[in-house]
Amino acid sequence: FPTEVLSHIFVYCLPEDECLSPASRLALILLTRICRRWKEVIVGMPSLWCSLRLEVEHDDWQRRVFCYEAWLKRTLGRPLSLAL
């Protein structure tokens, strides 16, 4: 599919009213694992990365920091909605 079509499909795969978590079992991260092309399209859409749910837990905090940092870089400086 062309990038524009994939972009619309990916937007419809996400929950409408929730901030997203970088958990590997959720739609946005799962879609990046389908194939290289899908990952390139998704990572290249900063609007998909502009909401983030931060979860404060003490287990594996270094992995969380890495995930949050990668997520924030993908916003490309766009306004961000955060949920704690």
Side-chain angles (χ1 to χ4, degrees), residues 11 15 31 36 53 59 73:
V11 168
L31 292 171
R36 182 180 298 149
R53 176 177 305 282
D59 65 322
K73 285 180 182 178

Side-chain angles (χ1 to χ4, degrees), residues 13-52:
C13 289
L14 301 178
E16 292 181 23
D17 58 344
E18 293 183 29
C19 283
L20 301 174
S21 167
S24 61
R25 67 188 183 284
L26 298 177
L28 193 55
I29 302 301
L30 283 176
L31 292 171
T32 64
R33 295 181 177 168
I34 302 299
C35 67
R36 182 180 298 149
R37 169 92 169 105
W38 282 28
K39 182 175 182 174
E40 290 171 357
V41 172
I42 291 169
V43 170
M45 294 179 62
S47 60
L48 294 180
W49 304 94
C50 288
S51 68
L52 176 61

Side-chain angles (χ1 to χ4, degrees), residues 42-77:
I42 291 169
V43 170
M45 294 179 62
S47 60
L48 294 180
W49 304 94
C50 288
S51 68
L52 176 61
R53 176 177 305 282
L54 297 172
E55 297 172 357
V56 181
E57 295 180 23
H58 298 290
D59 65 322
D60 204 7
W61 64 270
Q62 291 172 324
R63 184 177 162 276
R64 285 186 189 275
V65 168
F66 175 79
C67 290
Y68 292 145
E69 181 181 17
W71 191 285
L72 294 173
K73 285 180 182 178
R74 292 175 179 169
T75 66
L76 299 177

